[in-house]
Amino acid sequence: MSAGASYSCACFYTENIFIAEYQLHASFTDEQQFTRDYERESFLTEEFLEVVRFCESPNASLEGLLDYVRSVPGKRIYCFPVFVPEFCRDFLEELENFEKSLLEKGRPNTMNNYGVLLNELGLDESFITPLREKYLHPLASILYPDWGGGCLDSHKAFVVQYSVDKDLDLSSHYDNSEVTLNVSLGKEFTDGNLYFSDMREVPSGERRYAEVEHTIGHGILHRGQQVHGALPVTSGERWNLIIWMRASSIRNKQCPMCNKVPQLVETMGEGDGFTMTKKEDRGETVDVCTLI
């Protein structure tokens, strides 16, 4: 042994590495490990990850989960932080760059004139699908077992934009989904709260409404068939990420838009979350629900 030699444990180069931008202590053994462990979680809040860990634990229960999320009394609506502020900022920057580009763009639906379909940005497989499968599925399984929360197998994801010179608000409607996540991304805005009433089958004269305030980075989870809308923004600009999550085992029995047994026809794009059964495969049914 040479005189004066000094040593460190090898873990000095692989463990407890502090990444200031995300306030995160990380481990690094190789690129594959680092990507697997951190790429999909650095944009999520620690509060959200804690909720997911509880839902995956042996002690998971609805009663216990309600200690981790904020609920709207009597509505089965749940609110919780999802994205860190840095991610919201960077994500909006990319969305605005896409909007300014000359690339062809579809619009989210017939009610929103401004927004982005995330599959057009190539974000379904790399972002939305892992978010749904790894993080949202455990929550929905506990919160909405009667609405296919445990068997969500597809989605439609898009971002909508509201401002005083674009879309101000959104009329009452229900979603083409079993479970919906709505996350406020920013920017700065005033008013524009969401409002929720009862499920679509409740007569309009008997519905009771509740407002839910938007908080940047926070998500609102609700049943897709629950009637809801957005009040006008009075200043600024608001962007929201919407994920319509679908369970084919539920909608294959009844289309959520026409309330009938679906009659399936081929459609362009991703479709609306229906899957073909053996009976349908023999050509005994024909569906127009995806074209409405």
Side-chain angles (χ1 to χ4, degrees), residues 73-101:
K75 295 296 185 184
R76 294 185 71 183
I77 299 169
Y78 306 97
C79 310
F80 43 85
V82 179
F83 299 134
V84 298
E86 296 83 1
F87 172 79
C88 293
R89 179 198 63 214
D90 294 344
F91 190 23
L92 282 180
E93 184 177 340
E94 291 302 316
L95 292 171
E96 289 182 312
N97 289 337
F98 178 69
E99 283 283 25
K100 293 174 184 176
S101 74

Side-chain angles (χ1 to χ4, degrees), residues 166-183:
K166 295 181 179 178
D167 286 340
L168 276 175
D169 54 15
L170 189 62
S171 301
S172 294
H173 66 284
Y174 50 87
D175 299 337
N176 189 352
S177 69
E178 275 63 66
V179 180
T180 293
L181 178 70
N182 184 328
V183 185

Side-chain angles (χ1 to χ4, degrees), residues 4 55 66 69 76 95 149 151 153 165 191 199 246 252 261 281:
C55 292
L66 295 181
V69 300
R76 294 185 71 183
L95 292 171
C151 48
D153 51 8
D165 60 342
D191 299 319
M199 302 303 285
R246 294 155 168 174
N252 282 351
V261 175
D281 199 29

Side-chain angles (χ1 to χ4, degrees), residues 54 63 68 92 113 132 137 155 255:
F54 172 79
E63 183 180 31
Y68 290 85
L92 282 180
N113 298 307
R132 170 175 57 82
H137 178 269
H155 61 262
C255 171

Side-chain angles (χ1 to χ4, degrees), residues 57-78:
S57 71
N59 299 321
S61 67
L62 175 59
E63 183 180 31
L65 180 54
L66 295 181
D67 292 333
Y68 290 85
V69 300
R70 180 170 64 88
S71 61
V72 178
K75 295 296 185 184
R76 294 185 71 183
I77 299 169
Y78 306 97

Side-chain angles (χ1 to χ4, degrees), residues 186-233:
K187 300 179 176 179
E188 296 295 329
F189 58 89
T190 53
D191 299 319
N193 288 346
L194 291 184
Y195 61 87
F196 291 87
S197 67
D198 301 289
M199 302 303 285
R200 58 179 291 196
E201 62 267 18
V202 176
S204 58
E206 299 177 14
R207 293 173 184 165
R208 297 182 178 181
Y209 289 84
E211 281 190 34
V212 181
E213 184 178 358
H214 279 294
T215 302
I216 295 175
H218 287 229
I220 300 170
L221 198 67
H222 64 90
R223 293 164 292 175
Q225 298 295 287
Q226 191 162 14
V227 176
H228 60 285
L231 296 171
V233 293

Side-chain angles (χ1 to χ4, degrees), residues 233-253:
V233 293
T234 55
S235 69
E237 185 177 355
R238 176 163 63 81
W239 294 69
N240 285 69
L241 168 65
I242 312 294
I243 307 177
W244 287 352
M245 294 178 282
R246 294 155 168 174
S248 59
S249 61
I250 300 295
R251 58 183 44 226
N252 282 351
K253 299 174 184 176

